[in-house]
């Protein structure tokens, strides 16, 4: 091992140790717990014992849990599709030179300044059917005749409901700045000569986007999608703060279900099993990302 | 050499002093109540008095309510704990902590805690398996809250005193515009965001109890439960005077009440009196409190409590008991009650001038006579009554009142699940 290697290991060590201690150790510990009985109310007296896959079977037979898994996937896919499409559009706009660009950039990045919990509290007020200024505006403008119950309407269309769409909208609003930054960095690394050559070939705006921008953004998009999917499957704050999973469990997601099971019902074993399901889902995304990246490297 | 010896001696004596100071210093945690600055100043001034009297230093820390439950759960599983603290859910945390962590029994010190000066009902909340765990310092008593202007407008001369009168009053005060949009809901079950807290007083008023006194047998499947749930269901779906959305998280009761969009609450936290005085002074004269309406059995009011206790693992039990002894005095309980806005747990304090200078306070003091504790002698009660989906009582209310599922089936299911929980 040469001096350069040692230096590299020393530099990486603090981050690695932190990850091992605060990330890997709790994850393994939680995984082990998911195969054991761990009822907080009696673990002090009766201890914890090996139960194999019982906790997984138990939660999988719970209708509320399977509904929650489906919703977590729907929430994540829809929110990511919208946030990435909108960010692609916005990033292209603010990548150009025009008057007022600084103002527009500031506006786009503003939601970043609000932590998710604070943003949720603000949006609860904005979307509360009885005091919502949005409802008042729409009623005054004659667009609606009755107040929209943004966070409480329990009518559904398949897996979709107004509360689910409302939370997706807030998650998109809060997520756009990060995605725009990623895409903006990607856009700025695309050589201008490619667009100039396309111009000379008479390519239109859509052709340039499809044949130059998107392929050149592929590495950034891959990282971004992997991060967004993994974050999305474990998302907690907005769903918990805004609706707590209601109405009728229509906005519940896995992380909130896990929290309720662990900290409200005191069943850490079932909560750990739900955590295991989240881990499996994020592992699939990670595996797909690694596969796509290795495929890119082979080209 | 002599200089070195002198320095060593100086360091040793400094360490000894620091260690002695440490031995006479205790860590005390509380949660914030009402105005946080006022609360901090109340606790600081009490601690100042205690320190001057006892010579024991107290380091006070405030634990935000947002993570209080997780904090005490961590403590009960062996996490970093203070010496003594403001606590709740005694039965659950005692069971979780077992004999190593969590709340410490103080039965051997009970003669020093002035326990005979507290309401006997409040002592239920500091008793577990015949042991005493501290002093009950705060109460959360609930009573009826209503808009006097809405009552007047509806031609009612007095607040309702029975369920039937409540239905009639709610219908009379309920206002709807030409589009069918509700301008004022005639009734709301309670001010608390906890949906489960809304069923409890109704069930008791109908003559029910959630379990046997020993906490071993669930007692949900009876006529009292049917009566309570039917009352809730009918207020929403038959009389249409209560908002179905009020069962969802994030429903804003206070601004709606202050704005006249809700006419009456069946079970309002007493702290709302203080909040309405402080936050909505312009609403003065438009609201009042009254004792809870009676069901078929009685007019029980929801009552919760918190207590100051000692944590297992501390080696400063004597110092903590001295602090609890100081805080159990009438003047301390009065100061805590004034600072927090919570009702006091002592009759002597509730007859003080502070608890009779506003009409709503007199009602609150009167409601204590009908207090029914929300604590139950079962460690699983906190899980059974959790106000989240998946909780047995929550699901029972939600399924029967909001989703209108078959009541008998839901009650039978809840009974079975609760019995299993009690045997956990």
């Amino acid at each position: 091992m040469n001096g350069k290697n040692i230096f590299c290991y020393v530099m990486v060590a603090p981050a690695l140790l932190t990850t091992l201690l605060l990330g890997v150790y709790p994850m393994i510990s939680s995984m082990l717990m998911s195969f054991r009985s761990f009822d907080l109310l009696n673990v002090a007296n009766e201890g914890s014992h090996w139960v194999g896959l019982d906790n997984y079977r138990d939660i999988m037979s719970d209708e509320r849990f399977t509904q929650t898994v489906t919703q977590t996937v729907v929430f994540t896919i829809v929110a990511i599709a919208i946030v990435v499409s909108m960010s692609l559009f916005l990033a292209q706009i603010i990548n150009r030179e025009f008057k007022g660009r600084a103002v527009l950039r500031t506006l786009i990045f503003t939601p970043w300044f609000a932590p998710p919990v604070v943003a949720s509290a603000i949006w609860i007020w904005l979307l509360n059917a009885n005091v919502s200024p949005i409802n008042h505006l729409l009623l005054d403008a004659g667009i609606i005749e009755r107040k929209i119950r943004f966070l409480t309407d329990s009518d559904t269309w398949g897996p979709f409901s107004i509360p689910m769409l409302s939370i997706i909208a807030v998650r998109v609003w809060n997520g756009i700045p990060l995605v725009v930054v990623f895409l903006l960095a990607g856009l700025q690394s695309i050589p201008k000569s490619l667009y100039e050559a396309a111009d000379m070939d008479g390519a239109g705006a859509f052709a340039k986007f499809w044949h130059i921008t998107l392929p050149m953004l592929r590495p950034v998009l891959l990282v971004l999608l992997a991060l967004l999917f993994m974050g999305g499957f474990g998302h907690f704050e907005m769903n918990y703060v805004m609706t707590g999973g209601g109405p009728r469990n229509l906005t519940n997601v896995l992380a909130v279900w896990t929290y309720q099971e662990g900290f409200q019902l005191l069943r850490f074993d079932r909560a750990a099993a739900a955590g295991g399901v989240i881990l499996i889902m994020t592992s699939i995304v990670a595996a797909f990302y690694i596969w796509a990246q290795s495929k890119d490297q082979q080209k | 050499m002599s200089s070195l010896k002198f320095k060593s001696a100086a360091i040793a004596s400094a360490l000894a002093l620091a260690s002695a100071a440490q031995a006479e210093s205790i860590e005390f945690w509380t949660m914030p109540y009402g105005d946080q600055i006022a609360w901090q100043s109340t606790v600081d001034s009490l601690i100042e008095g205690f320190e001057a009297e006892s010579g024991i230093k107290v380091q006070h820390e405030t634990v935000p309510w947002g993570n209080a439950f997780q904090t005490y759960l961590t403590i009960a599983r062996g996490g970093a704990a203070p010496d003594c603290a403001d606590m709740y859910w005694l039965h659950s945390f005692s069971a979780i902590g077992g004999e190593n962590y969590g709340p410490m029994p103080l039965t051997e010190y009970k003669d020093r805690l002035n326990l005979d000066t507290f309401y006997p009902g409040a002592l239920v909340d500091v008793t577990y398996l015949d042991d005493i765990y501290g002093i009950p310092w705060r109460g959360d008593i609930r009573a009826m809250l209503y808009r006097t202007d809405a009552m007047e407008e509806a031609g009612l001369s007095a607040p309702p005193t029975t369920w039937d009168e409540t239905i009639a009053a709610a219908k009379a005060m309920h206002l709807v515009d030409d589009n069918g949009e509700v301008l004022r809901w005639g009734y709301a079950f309670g001010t608390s965001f906890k949906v489960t807290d809304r069923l409890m007083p109704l069930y008791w008023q109908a003559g029910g109890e959630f379990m046997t006194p020993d906490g071993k047998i669930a007692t949900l499947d009876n006529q009292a439960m049917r009566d309570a749930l039917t009352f809730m269901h009918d207020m929403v779906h038959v009389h249409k005077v209560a908002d179905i959305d009020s069962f969802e998280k994030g429903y804003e009761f206070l601004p709606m009440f202050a704005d006249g969009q809700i006419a009456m609450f069946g079970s309002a936290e007493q702290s709302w009196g203080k909040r309405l005085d402080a936050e909505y002074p312009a609403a003065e004269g438009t609201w009042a409190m009254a004792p809870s309406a009676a069901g078929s059995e009685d007019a029980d009011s929801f009552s919760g409590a918190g207590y100051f206790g000692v944590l297992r693992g501390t080696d400063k039990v004597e110092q903590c008991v001295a602090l609890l002894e100081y805080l159990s005095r009438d003047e301390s309980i009065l100061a805590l009650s004034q600072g927090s806005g919570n009702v006091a747990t002592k009759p002597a304090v509730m007859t003080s001038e502070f608890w009779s200078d506003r009409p709503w306070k007199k009602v609150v003091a009167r409601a204590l006579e009908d207090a029914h504790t929300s604590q139950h002698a079962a460690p699983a009660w906190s899980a059974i009554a959790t106000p989240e989906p998946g909780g047995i009582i929550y699901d029972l209310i939600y399924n029967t009142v909001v989703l209108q599922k078959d009541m008998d089936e839901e009650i039978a299911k809840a009974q079975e699940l609760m019995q299993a929980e009690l045997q956990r």
Side-chain angles (χ1 to χ4, degrees), chain A residues 39 149 152 240 259 263-264, chain B residues 69-70 245 249 386 424:
Chain A
D39 179 348
R149 295 155 68 211
T152 51
Y240 183 71
Y259 172 83
F263 288 98
Q264 303 294 328
Chain B
F69 186 79
Q70 287 89 326
D245 285 356
K249 197 171 180 178
T386 186
R424 250 166 98 173

Side-chain angles (χ1 to χ4, degrees), chain B residues 232-293:
Chain B
M232 293 182 87
H233 172 274
D234 289 358
M235 286 305 241
V236 176
H237 300 286
V238 178
H239 312 304
K240 298 183 193 303
V241 290
D243 191 356
I244 196 167
D245 285 356
S246 65
F247 290 87
E248 306 301 341
K249 197 171 180 178
Y251 196 83
E252 293 279 354
F253 289 111
L254 186 56
M256 285 180 71
F257 180 73
D259 192 36
Q261 292 182 53
I262 295 176
M264 170 172 52
F265 288 99
S267 178
E269 294 148 288
Q270 99 276 331
S271 59
W272 270 46
K274 191 181 174 186
R275 288 185 69 185
L276 283 163
D277 277 349
E279 296 169 33
Y280 296 92
E284 173 67 21
T286 62
W287 61 273
M289 280 185 151
S292 301

Side-chain angles (χ1 to χ4, degrees), chain B residues 42-287:
Chain B
T42 301
V43 179
D44 285 351
S45 98
L46 282 167
I47 286 174
E48 214 172 280
F50 171 70
E51 287 178 341
E53 195 178 293
S54 66
I56 299 168
K57 288 273 169 213
V58 179
Q59 293 170 312
H60 173 233
E61 271 185 46
T62 308
V63 181
W65 271 107
N67 56 17
F69 186 79
Q70 287 89 326
T71 303
Y72 286 109
L73 199 57
T74 311
I75 288 172
R77 289 293 303 153
D83 299 298
C84 34
D86 173 18
M87 292 184 273
Y88 58 106
W89 285 129
L90 169 66
H91 303 151
S92 299
F93 289 129
S94 292
I96 294 168
E99 290 186 358
N100 297 318
Y101 309 110
M104 173 189 282
L106 297 174
T107 310
E108 61 182 293
Y109 300 96
K110 71 176 186 183
D111 295 340
R112 290 170 57 185
L113 300 178
N114 303 311
L115 295 177
D116 53 347
T117 61
F118 289 90
Y119 283 113
L123 294 176
V124 173
D125 298 318
V126 292
T127 310
Y128 177 58
L129 300 177
D130 298 330
D131 270 320
I132 290 288
Y133 281 77
I135 53 163
W137 75 269
R138 69 173 169 91
D140 164 18
I141 187 76
R142 301 183 188 177
M144 182 183 291
L145 174 68
Y146 62 95
R147 297 274 314 191
T148 49
D149 49 0
M151 282 265 177
E152 219 170 281
E153 210 179 297
L156 301 166
S157 55
T161 56
T162 64
W163 284 10
D164 288 341
E165 285 178 22
T166 302
I167 295 167
K171 282 159 107 173
M173 292 189 287
H174 191 72
L175 270 186
V176 182
D177 72 8
D178 296 338
N179 290 328
E181 199 74 53
V182 175
L183 300 174
R184 183 171 64 213
W185 291 99
Y187 186 79
F189 297 97
T191 55
S192 169
F193 73 94
K194 295 180 182 174
V195 171
T196 45
D197 287 5
R198 301 174 199 167
L199 173 68
M200 290 182 203
L202 294 171
Y203 186 41
W204 299 324
Q205 286 160 16
E209 285 293 343
F210 286 91
M211 61 184 82
T212 48
D214 60 3
K216 297 210 184 308
I217 298 177
T219 51
L220 297 183
D221 198 349
N222 53 41
Q223 190 54 41
M225 182 56 81
R226 281 170 186 76
D227 290 348
L229 288 171
T230 303
F231 177 80
M232 293 182 87
H233 172 274
D234 289 358
M235 286 305 241
V236 176
H237 300 286
V238 178
H239 312 304
K240 298 183 193 303
V241 290
D243 191 356
I244 196 167
D245 285 356
S246 65
F247 290 87
E248 306 301 341
K249 197 171 180 178
Y251 196 83
E252 293 279 354
F253 289 111
L254 186 56
M256 285 180 71
F257 180 73
D259 192 36
Q261 292 182 53
I262 295 176
M264 170 172 52
F265 288 99
S267 178
E269 294 148 288
Q270 99 276 331
S271 59
W272 270 46
K274 191 181 174 186
R275 288 185 69 185
L276 283 163
D277 277 349
E279 296 169 33
Y280 296 92
E284 173 67 21
T286 62
W287 61 273

Side-chain angles (χ1 to χ4, degrees), chain A residues 38-46 64 124-125 128-131 139 145-147 149 151-154 239-249 252 256 259-260 262-268, chain B residues 66 69-70 73 77 91-92 95-99 179-182 185 243-245 248-252 255-256 261 379-384 386-392 395 398 402-403 421 424:
Chain A
F38 203 97
D39 179 348
L40 265 189
L41 283 179
N42 61 34
V43 75
N45 294 326
E46 294 176 15
R64 210 168 59 86
I124 284 178
W125 175 72
N128 183 311
N130 294 302
V131 294
L139 281 168
E145 284 183 356
R146 297 178 72 91
K147 291 171 187 167
R149 295 155 68 211
L151 299 176
T152 51
D153 196 322
S154 57
N239 290 62
Y240 183 71
V241 175
M242 291 181 72
T243 59
R248 290 172 49 193
N249 206 45
N252 213 354
V256 173
Y259 172 83
Q260 288 167 337
F263 288 98
Q264 303 294 328
L265 304 177
L266 309 175
R267 290 298 304 264
F268 270 37
Chain B
F69 186 79
Q70 287 89 326
L73 199 57
R77 289 293 303 153
H91 303 151
S92 299
I96 294 168
E99 290 186 358
N179 290 328
E181 199 74 53
V182 175
W185 291 99
D243 191 356
I244 196 167
D245 285 356
E248 306 301 341
K249 197 171 180 178
Y251 196 83
E252 293 279 354
M256 285 180 71
Q261 292 182 53
W381 177 242
S382 64
I384 293 165
T386 186
E388 300 271 356
I392 295 167
D395 285 352
Y398 203 88
V402 179
L403 304 181
E421 281 292 301
R424 250 166 98 173

Side-chain angles (χ1 to χ4, degrees), chain A residues 88 92 195 204-217:
Chain A
L88 265 173
Q92 301 231 55
Y195 292 106
F206 181 75
K208 281 191 277 184
F209 173 75
W210 192 254
H211 295 292
I212 300 173
T213 310
L214 265 189
M216 294 301 284
L217 281 179

